[in-house]
Amino acid sequence: MLLLALDTATDGVAVAVHDGERVLASARAGTARSHNEVLVPTVAQVLRAAGRERRDVTDVAVGVGPGPYTGLRVGIATARTLALAWGARVHGVCSLDALAAAAVAEGVSGEFLVATDARRREVHTARYLVVGGGDGVRRTAGPDVLRPADVVVDVPVVGAGTRLYPELLGGERGPFDVDGGALAQVVVDALAGRGALELLPPEPLYLRRPDAVAPGARKRVTA
C-alpha cells in the first residue's frame, strides 16, 4: 500500500505519503489563496521526499471539509484526477476528523471540540470523544457551522477557531490546521478495520451555500 493524502480545507495545503505502517514524508505549503498554485508541486515534492514514484500510489485520500468552497473544489478535483490517472482508489475524510486525530496524537484526551475558520465570522465545529480499545477518537456531534458566541464551550476546544476567537472559545489551542500525516493515518486505520472515524465519498462537505453565486435574471426596466 502507498497512500497519498492531501487536504485543502484550511489555510494552505497539507500533503503526506504513508506506506501503511508509517508516514514517509509530509509537508504544508501556501495560503488560503494559493491552493491551486501549490498543491500539485507539493504532491511532487512529498513523493520525492518519500523516495516513491507516482506509479507506486495505490490509494489517494482527500479532506472533504467542511471548508471554503474554492479550496475544497481544488483539493477534491485534484485527488479524483490523480486517482483516475494512476489507477488508485480514492477516499474522502472529514477534515475536522483529521484535526481531531492530530489533537489526540498531541495528547488531547477525554471529550473535546474542534473549531476551524468558516469565514463570515463563523466557525465549523464538531465534538469528539477519545475512546479506548484501539478506536482512538469518535465524532459524537457535528459538523456544524456556528457563530463563535453560540458554541457551547464545556470541554477543551482546539483548532484555528481558537486563534481567531480565543475569548469565546477558551483560549488558543492547537493543532490549528490539518496535518497530512494525521489524515493519512485515519484512512489507513479505517481500511484496516481500526478506529471509529468513517471514510466518506470524495465529495465536498458544504454546510452552507458558497459565497459566489450565479447572478439572477435582470429586472425589467419600466418607465
Side-chain angles (χ1 to χ4, degrees), residues 24 33 211 217 220:
L24 301 180
R33 297 182 180 276
D211 293 329
R220 178 177 299 178

Side-chain angles (χ1 to χ4, degrees), residues 76-194:
I76 293 171
T78 300
R80 294 174 68 170
T81 299
L82 294 179
L84 180 63
W86 299 345
R89 300 181 296 176
V90 61
H91 316 278
V93 177
C94 173
S95 300
L96 300 183
D97 289 357
L99 262 167
V104 173
E106 292 184 11
V108 174
S109 60
E111 194 170 6
F112 65 98
L113 288 168
V114 170
T116 61
D117 183 15
R119 314 279 177 87
R120 303 184 192 176
R121 298 183 181 179
E122 293 178 322
V123 290
H124 291 127
T125 68
R127 181 175 290 253
Y128 295 87
L129 176 66
V130 179
V131 293
D135 286 338
V137 62
R138 174 181 295 116
R139 176 156 35 100
T140 59
D144 301 299
V145 59
L146 300 169
R147 295 183 302 174
D150 293 334
V151 178
V152 178
V153 185
D154 57 346
V155 295
V157 186
V158 305
T162 69
R163 195 160 51 187
L164 294 169
Y165 309 102
E167 70 285 357
L168 296 173
L169 300 178
E172 294 188 27
R173 185 168 185 176
F176 298 112
D177 296 305
V178 173
D179 175 74
L183 190 151
Q185 191 64 54
V186 169
V187 177
V188 169
D189 287 344
L191 293 178
R194 301 187 300 265

